[in-house]
Amino acid sequence: MDVTYPSSLALALFSITLVLALFVRSLRSKKTKGQLPPGPKGWPIIGNLFQMVMNRPTHEWFHRVMADMQTEIACFRFARVHVVVVTSSEIAREVLREKDEALANRAEAYSIDLISHGYHGISFSAYGEGWKLSKKVMVTKLMSPTTLNNTLVSRTMEADNIVTYIFNLCQSGSMKKPINVRDATLTYSHAVMMRMMFGQRHFDEPAEDGGLGPKEKEHMDAIYRALDCLFGFSVADYLPFLRGWNIEGEEEEVRGAVDIINKCNDPMIRERMHLWREKGGKEKEEDWLDIVITLKDDQGMPLLTFEEIRAFCKDVNVATIDNTMNNVEWTIAEMLNHPDILKKALDELDTIVGKDRLVQESDLCKLNYIKACSRETFRLHPPNAFLPPHGAREDTTLAGYFIPKGSQILVSRPGLGRNRKMWSEPDAYKPERHLDDYSRDSMGVSMLEPDMRFVIFSTGRRGCPGTKIGATMIIMLLARLLQGFDWSLPPGASQVELVANNSNLFMAKPLLASAKPRLAPGLYPKIQV
């Protein structure tokens, strides 16, 4: 979502702060108990809010300020909230390991409140018993080895569907028409998420061509618009009395997005709750929605309310989409600009899997070069500028600096991945650098990054509970697309323009590439809906 911020907003902010100053003049600001991290000089009362508004996108401004100050930790003050940005792997490990309990809260914001239905679920709720229960459900129920094994058939079905969907596109009309790679990755990601969460691919009628139907596309678009709002750095996030005024247009945007997601999800949730809680249910639980609805407390009563189940569904919606799409699209784009890397990936697939069967999840552990390519893409092209903010539950320290209670800590993805102290040639795409970290005689290249030299999945107390399924979806999709098709630049193109979006770090334009089937026609199965 690209938002234009008019100069009148800055004037309105200035006027509001004058009024605010009359109310807070008599209030004493807490004296800090130590030295804060370095940061830009701000105004009285509002701190750096005016600079934030005048320097969009905010993540680029953060990084420019830190580069000018030559610091890997910086403190920006927005009204009474200290926002601390970290670009060092050493300090990131301190945030996510040594101090992860002290920094285990989340930020409060209008968009987060709406998306999480009042800070429910695992992603956005405050640290406490409710969050611990949500994480336990996610880890021991939804992400358990038994549950993931039970959903293998559904994931394989969608891996089959995506290669057939592209195969059909290649056969229809002119084969010179380029494939929208982003559309293909979103089709797979959404379909896998739907099958695991709801047990079906479509909300209503299936799309005839094997792609997303109109309602699925609307659902997907709403998820992305909601995700953009989560990293919007709205003025109202730091001046709570402004929430609901829609002064930057973002609140209307997130309300519309959440309404669409609810319109799609809620009927399925209500129908399934009615089936399990009033009609006796099924013979067994078949998907994640069945699992969360049938959970019981110590008294045998339903464990989760309707609002909590809605929040769980949205956690799954937003967590299973952006990483897969972003990583696979950028990886193929980089390979098209580096034919030698593409050839090495194809050689690995042909050697390990061959061309007489489709790659399966059981093959992924052996595809070390393809995993190295994915890791390099995570390092160079993360989906967003920051991990979800960590909130300080108490006064603490980072890198020797004082961090007041209530501060928000932002770990920078590009700050880690392109840190010149950590990486040689940080702007170059070199998958081989990840092969050097692992022995071919051990478990091979891992999709974890415990040292936080860059971010694949968040770690620590508030880390991603779906690391295994997330990594599997990414490598499976990438391997299937590479094995199934010869990819090349569209006619007339000399290279892919590697430019990131402003609001997030997705490719600014969807990747268009020519594709030609490289397997026997009989290996592309029929679409299974």
Side-chain angles (χ1 to χ4, degrees):
M1 177 185 68
D2 292 319
V3 180
T4 300
Y5 297 92
S7 58
S8 58
L9 174 61
L11 295 176
L13 176 61
F14 179 76
S15 300
I16 289 168
T17 56
L18 290 179
V19 176
L20 178 63
L22 296 177
F23 287 96
V24 301
R25 174 175 288 186
S26 61
L27 298 177
R28 282 183 165 180
S29 299
K30 290 185 178 179
K31 290 185 178 180
T32 59
K33 301 176 183 177
Q35 183 182 357
L36 293 168
K41 187 176 180 180
W43 289 19
I45 308 300
I46 65 169
N48 304 119
L49 268 179
F50 186 80
Q51 294 148 285
M52 181 188 78
V53 171
M54 299 304 294
N55 289 277
R56 302 291 192 175
T58 302
H59 67 88
E60 292 185 359
W61 174 61
F62 282 159
H63 290 109
R64 284 199 307 271
V65 169
M66 295 179 72
D68 291 343
M69 299 183 67
Q70 298 183 338
T71 181
E72 293 181 319
I73 181 171
C75 181
F76 301 80
R77 184 172 65 83
F78 301 138
R80 298 179 67 85
V81 180
H82 295 87
V83 176
V84 178
V85 182
V86 171
T87 61
S88 154
S89 60
E90 182 179 357
I91 305 175
R93 291 194 298 270
E94 192 177 354
V95 173
L96 300 172
R97 289 185 185 172
E98 300 169 32
K99 307 288 177 63
D100 69 332
E101 184 171 8
L103 303 174
N105 264 343
R106 285 294 195 223
E108 291 186 6
Y110 183 89
S111 58
I112 294 176
D113 188 11
L114 275 183
I115 294 169
S116 64
H117 298 283
Y119 305 101
H120 289 301
I122 188 173
S123 296
F124 307 112
S125 58
Y127 184 76
E129 294 306 314
W131 173 81
K132 291 178 182 178
L133 174 61
S134 296
K135 183 166 186 179
K136 181 179 180 181
V137 169
M138 187 71 76
V139 172
T140 64
K141 300 295 184 180
L142 273 60
M143 300 298 169
S144 71
T146 299
T147 301
L148 294 182
N149 286 338
N150 290 340
T151 56
L152 173 61
V153 173
S154 294
R155 295 195 302 277
T156 303
M157 189 181 300
E158 289 309 324
D160 291 346
N161 282 343
I162 195 59
V163 294
T164 302
Y165 172 60
I166 298 175
F167 178 79
N168 291 341
L169 292 177
C170 292
Q171 303 305 307
S172 62
S174 172
M175 290 185 64
K176 294 184 179 179
K177 183 178 180 180
I179 301 296
N180 187 320
V181 177
R182 182 175 301 178
D183 175 75
T185 61
L186 290 177
T187 298
Y188 168 83
S189 301
H190 192 270
V192 172
M193 179 271 294
M194 286 288 292
R195 286 200 189 273
M196 291 194 297
M197 186 72 239
F198 298 121
Q200 61 191 62
R201 195 174 196 260
H202 297 276
F203 290 107
D204 296 318
E205 295 297 320
E208 293 182 2
D209 64 355
L212 300 179
K215 196 166 185 179
E216 288 75 45
K217 290 179 180 178
E218 184 182 36
H219 189 241
M220 177 71 73
D221 180 65
I223 292 171
Y224 273 104
R225 285 191 285 127
L227 276 169
D228 264 359
C229 293
L230 292 177
F231 294 93
F233 295 101
S234 170
V235 171
D237 292 344
Y238 308 104
L239 298 176
F241 71 91
L242 292 180
R243 292 176 191 171
W245 288 23
N246 194 40
I247 61 172
E248 294 179 87
E250 187 176 271
E251 292 176 356
E252 182 179 354
E253 182 80 8
V254 73
R255 282 197 299 268
V258 170
D259 285 346
I260 290 172
I261 298 172
N262 289 340
K263 182 181 69 175
C264 295
N265 289 358
D266 286 0
M268 302 182 74
I269 298 172
R270 293 184 188 278
E271 180 181 359
R272 198 76 63 84
M273 290 180 71
H274 179 74
L275 173 64
W276 279 104
R277 297 183 180 180
E278 299 181 34
K279 292 292 185 179
K282 312 174 185 177
E283 290 186 5
K284 63 177 183 178
E285 300 157 357
E286 298 175 346
D287 51 50
W288 287 347
L289 184 57
D290 285 341
I291 292 173
V292 296
I293 288 174
T294 56
L295 291 171
K296 298 288 194 299
D297 63 16
D298 294 339
Q299 285 73 45
M301 300 299 292
L303 182 66
L304 301 177
T305 66
F306 174 66
E307 291 297 317
E308 290 168 332
I309 293 172
R310 293 172 99 192
F312 258 109
C313 289
K314 284 195 182 63
D315 273 341
V316 173
N317 291 158
V318 303
T320 57
I321 301 299
D322 60 337
N323 256 349
T324 303
M325 180 279 289
N326 184 74
N327 188 267
V328 173
E329 184 178 32
W330 274 111
T331 301
I332 293 179
E334 288 281 8
M335 287 180 170
L336 290 175
N337 282 356
H338 298 86
D340 56 323
I341 293 176
L342 177 58
K343 184 179 185 303
K344 289 179 182 178
L346 293 177
D347 288 345
E348 179 179 68
L349 275 164
D350 291 345
T351 300
I352 293 174
V353 181
K355 298 177 72 172
D356 56 355
R357 67 176 179 88
L358 293 173
V359 62
Q360 303 296 320
E361 285 191 13
S362 57
D363 298 311
L364 303 186
C365 62
K366 303 174 186 176
L367 299 178
N368 286 306
Y369 190 76
I370 288 176
K371 286 186 286 183
C373 291
S374 178
R375 281 175 59 89
E376 182 70 343
T377 300
F378 271 114
R379 183 191 70 80
L380 204 54
H381 305 295
N384 285 291
F386 303 106
L387 291 177
H390 285 246
R393 302 171 59 230
E394 59 192 45
D395 291 346
T396 186
T397 60
L398 282 176
Y401 293 107
F402 175 67
I403 306 298
K405 178 181 179 180
S407 298
Q408 296 176 13
I409 317 301
L410 298 176
V411 175
S412 168
R413 292 174 183 257
L416 300 183
R418 297 183 184 236
N419 191 313
R420 295 186 178 276
K421 295 180 180 179
M422 180 63 62
W423 302 99
S424 63
E425 299 182 78
D427 296 327
Y429 189 80
K430 299 174 64 175
E432 286 77 10
R433 70 175 93 227
H434 303 281
L435 295 176
D436 296 338
D437 294 337
Y438 297 91
S439 167
R440 293 298 185 104
D441 298 328
S442 64
M443 296 299 292
V445 173
S446 171
M447 290 304 289
L448 301 177
E449 181 50 41
D451 293 333
M452 295 302 296
R453 298 175 301 166
F454 64 103
V455 176
I456 297 181
F457 302 100
S458 181
T459 187
R461 199 173 298 261
R462 297 298 299 238
C464 175
T467 297
K468 182 177 181 181
I469 186 61
T472 297
M473 287 177 61
I474 291 167
I475 304 304
M476 185 64 166
L477 176 59
L478 179 58
R480 280 291 182 101
L481 294 186
L482 294 176
Q483 182 196 31
F485 306 94
D486 283 318
W487 296 93
S488 60
L489 294 167
S494 59
Q495 64 177 6
V496 179
E497 189 178 12
L498 302 178
V499 177
N501 198 2
N502 283 333
S503 58
N504 48 52
L505 300 182
F506 304 154
M507 290 187 68
K509 297 178 181 178
L511 175 62
L512 301 179
S514 297
K516 183 172 66 176
R518 67 187 298 268
L519 303 176
L523 287 178
Y524 300 90
K526 293 182 179 180
I527 296 291
Q528 304 172 75
V529 298

